[in-house]
Amino acid sequence: MTVYGYGSGAGTPHDPHVDVGAYVLGVLDDADMARFEQHLAICHQCGQQLDELSGLVPVLAELAPAGAGAPVPPSGDKVLGRLLGKVSDERKTRARRRMFALAASVALIVAAPTVAVLASGGSDDVQARVYAEQFKGTDNSTGVKATVGVNEKKWGSEVGLTLAGVQGPLTCRLVVVGKDGSQQTVGTWSVPTAGYGTSDQPNPLTLDGSAGMQPDDISRFDVVTSQGQRLVSVTT
């Protein structure tokens, strides 16, 4: 693999493998970013590191101290947009092959009793993700049911939500509550009038997100409306 020079003195070779984090945070200038994307198209190692770091952008937004003067990194959508526009067909083909391999592994693992599979209800576009831990909760007063899956990551937790029995219109968010009382928002969404997991809309809502807490530090997950009403709580 060719090693090219950028971000250092003239003529000085530079290892492109160390720039994955800088690329995710958007701190490379346009020229360095373009060179790194050319390298990313042929480097499987950097592609794997990029996948692992992609969950850090929303986590950093949650952990940023109030009033901090540091610039806010660009959104994950902007980074991914550049990636999809620049990466070669070879890289895209490799990514699709990894997705097919993951789908095959899910089919083998789903029978394990300690593993949860959260899937959307649509028959034309079914997405499945495997979680190491699964927790369920039902609120008798609202009738809302929730299943939360959690995977431990070095940077925190990968979180998946399946929600049913909720009527709209509403705007909701999934909040993770730590054992120390701290809170972080995993994601937000809108509920249409027909709702999710109802007689008018049988399919449940599915949501994937991340939190900057380790699973052992999490006390519960709350689904809360924009008006502050708690629809359901799932205890770990």
Side-chain angles (χ1 to χ4, degrees):
M1 180 179 299
T2 302
V3 177
Y4 50 91
Y6 68 93
S8 58
T12 303
H14 179 81
D15 183 0
H17 302 296
V18 303
D19 290 310
V20 179
Y23 178 74
V24 171
L25 293 176
V27 298
L28 297 177
D29 60 29
D30 290 343
D32 288 348
M33 184 172 291
R35 294 189 186 98
F36 177 74
E37 286 170 345
Q38 293 176 3
H39 166 77
L40 182 64
I42 60 173
C43 181
H44 179 67
Q45 175 184 337
C46 287
Q48 285 183 321
Q49 292 178 356
L50 181 66
D51 292 340
E52 294 173 356
L53 291 175
S54 61
L56 283 178
V57 172
V59 174
L60 288 174
E62 288 284 355
L63 296 181
V72 178
S75 67
D77 288 341
K78 180 178 179 181
V79 173
L80 290 177
R82 289 184 59 90
L83 179 61
L84 292 176
K86 299 289 186 180
V87 177
S88 68
D89 291 339
E90 178 184 354
R91 172 80 176 103
K92 294 177 183 178
T93 300
R94 188 178 299 133
R96 286 197 296 268
R97 288 174 179 172
R98 289 204 303 270
M99 290 178 64
F100 293 150
L102 175 61
S105 66
V106 168
L108 295 176
I109 297 174
V110 68
T114 59
V115 175
V117 177
L118 307 184
S120 65
S123 58
D124 295 333
D125 186 21
V126 176
Q127 298 178 352
R129 189 181 295 268
V130 178
Y131 291 94
E133 295 183 276
Q134 175 185 1
F135 309 97
K136 296 184 178 181
T138 300
D139 190 294
N140 294 328
S141 62
T142 64
V144 178
K145 300 178 180 180
T147 300
V148 177
V150 182
N151 282 333
E152 182 178 3
K153 297 292 183 179
K154 293 181 180 179
W155 41 261
S157 298
E158 182 181 53
V159 180
L161 169 70
T162 296
L163 191 69
V166 58
Q167 300 282 350
L170 289 173
T171 299
C172 302
R173 59 193 176 103
L174 178 62
V175 178
V176 56
V177 181
K179 294 179 179 178
D180 61 356
S182 61
Q183 298 185 6
Q184 296 178 13
T185 298
V186 174
T188 61
W189 64 93
S190 296
V191 180
T193 303
Y196 291 105
T198 65
S199 57
D200 293 331
Q201 173 54 266
N203 293 339
L205 169 98
T206 60
L207 173 75
D208 295 321
S210 58
M213 297 184 193
Q214 292 294 323
D216 289 343
D217 297 327
I218 297 174
S219 174
R220 69 177 191 274
F221 295 89
D222 292 339
V223 176
V224 184
T225 70
S226 58
Q227 289 75 35
Q229 178 190 7
R230 187 167 63 187
L231 298 179
V232 65
S233 183
V234 179
T235 303
T236 62

